[in-house]
Amino acid sequence: MAATSRTSAAAASLDPVDPVDSVDSVAASLQPQLSLRERKKIKTRTAIRRATYRLIAEQGYEATTVEQIAEAAEVSPSTVFRYFPTKEDIVLTDEFDPIMLREMRARPAGEPPLESLRHIITEAVRLSLLHDREETLQRTRLISEVPALRARMMESVADTSRLLCDVLAERTGREGVDLEVRVFAMAVLGALHETTVYWAEHNHEDDLLDLIARTMNTLSRGLTLGTN
C-alpha cells in the first residue's frame, strides 16, 4: 500500500501545470525540495537554452557562438560555460534526469523495470510536447542533422545511463551495478535516442508517443520475423 500511495503521488506530480510554462519551469515545479539557489540556477540555464534555440533558428547552429548566446541571455560567456561545458550541451541537456530517477524509485515494488521506464518516459515526452513542442522539434532535428550534436548526444545518453543504473540495481535487489543492469539501461536509452532521430528523419510526421510505444514494445518482445 505504501508503494502504491507513493506512486500515485508521483504520477500526479507529472500532470501538466500550465501549457504556457516552459518544460524547464515545469521540471523545476516537479522538484519542490529545490532551494531558491537551485531554482535560480534552473532559471539561468533556461534563459541560456532559450537564447540558444532562438539564435539557431535565426542563423543556424554553426553560425551561433557562445558569445552571442551570452549576450542574448544577458549573462557572461564564463557563466554560459559554467553551466554548459560545450555549446552542444546547451542544446542537449534538460532538467528531467533528477525527476526520472525520483519517479523510478517511486514506482510500485515488483513492477518490471521496463514498465516503470515506459510510464516515466511517456509522461516526460508528453510534457515536452505539451510545453515546449517547438523546441522539442528543433532539438531532435538538430541532433539528426549536426554530427557534433549527435556524437555528444551519445555521451549524454551514457551519462544518464550511469545514473539510471544505480536506481535499477536498487530496484532489482542487486548488490551493485552488474553487466546486465548496464546493458539494460543503455539498451533502453539508446533505443529512445534512435526513436527521436527516426522521428526527426521522417520530418516529425509520426506521433512521437506512438513511436515511443513501438520502441518499448520492441524492447519487450524482441525483433520478430517478418513476412514478405
Side-chain angles (χ1 to χ4, degrees):
M1 290 296 291
T4 302
S5 300
R6 288 198 303 273
T7 302
S8 299
S13 74
L14 286 171
D15 288 341
V17 178
D18 185 333
V20 301
D21 286 341
S22 74
V23 72
D24 289 316
S25 64
V26 171
S29 72
L30 298 181
Q31 301 181 72
Q33 76 278 13
L34 291 179
S35 65
L36 178 60
R37 184 167 179 266
E38 287 299 320
R39 288 178 180 275
K40 286 182 177 179
K41 286 182 178 180
I42 290 177
K43 185 176 181 180
T44 301
R45 286 197 295 268
T46 300
I48 293 170
R49 270 196 294 265
R50 287 196 170 278
T52 302
Y53 280 116
R54 185 170 64 252
L55 288 169
I56 291 174
E58 294 171 357
Q59 60 192 32
Y61 178 81
E62 296 297 340
T64 300
T65 67
V66 171
E67 289 72 22
Q68 291 172 335
I69 293 168
E71 181 178 359
E74 299 183 343
V75 299
S76 67
S78 62
T79 297
V80 174
F81 283 120
R82 186 163 67 248
Y83 284 101
F84 303 99
T86 69
K87 187 172 75 170
E88 289 78 18
D89 290 325
I90 306 175
V91 176
L92 297 176
T93 57
D94 57 40
E95 308 298 333
F96 273 101
D97 274 4
I99 295 172
M100 178 184 68
L101 301 179
R102 186 196 71 195
E103 297 295 320
M104 191 69 182
R105 288 189 171 98
R107 295 301 297 167
E111 181 177 62
L114 187 60
E115 288 307 307
S116 299
L117 286 170
R118 180 196 292 266
H119 171 83
I120 295 163
I121 291 165
T122 298
E123 290 302 297
V125 170
R126 183 175 63 82
L127 282 176
S128 294
L129 293 173
L130 177 65
H131 295 278
D132 264 343
R133 181 176 178 83
E134 289 308 310
E135 284 191 10
T136 301
L137 295 173
Q138 188 180 7
R139 175 187 296 183
T140 53
R141 186 181 300 113
L142 287 168
I143 291 171
S144 71
E145 295 175 353
V146 179
L149 281 171
R150 196 153 181 175
R152 181 59 180 155
M153 183 62 187
M154 290 311 299
E155 294 180 25
S156 177
V157 168
D159 291 341
T160 300
S161 178
R162 281 190 287 272
L163 296 173
L164 181 59
C165 279
D166 290 331
V167 182
L168 289 171
E170 292 172 15
R171 286 186 58 83
T172 54
R174 284 166 161 78
E175 294 182 359
V177 175
D178 56 25
L179 175 62
E180 287 75 15
V181 169
R182 291 175 62 173
V183 168
F184 176 84
M186 197 63 185
V188 174
L189 296 179
L192 291 169
H193 167 63
E194 284 304 312
T195 302
T196 57
V197 170
Y198 176 94
W199 186 48
E201 289 175 346
H202 289 76
N203 300 314
H204 302 110
E205 293 175 355
D206 298 290
D207 185 314
L208 181 55
L209 290 173
D210 287 344
L211 294 180
I212 296 294
R214 285 174 57 188
T215 297
M216 291 299 183
N217 289 341
T218 299
L219 289 170
S220 177
R221 295 194 305 255
L223 197 60
T224 58
L225 295 176
T227 56
N228 293 328

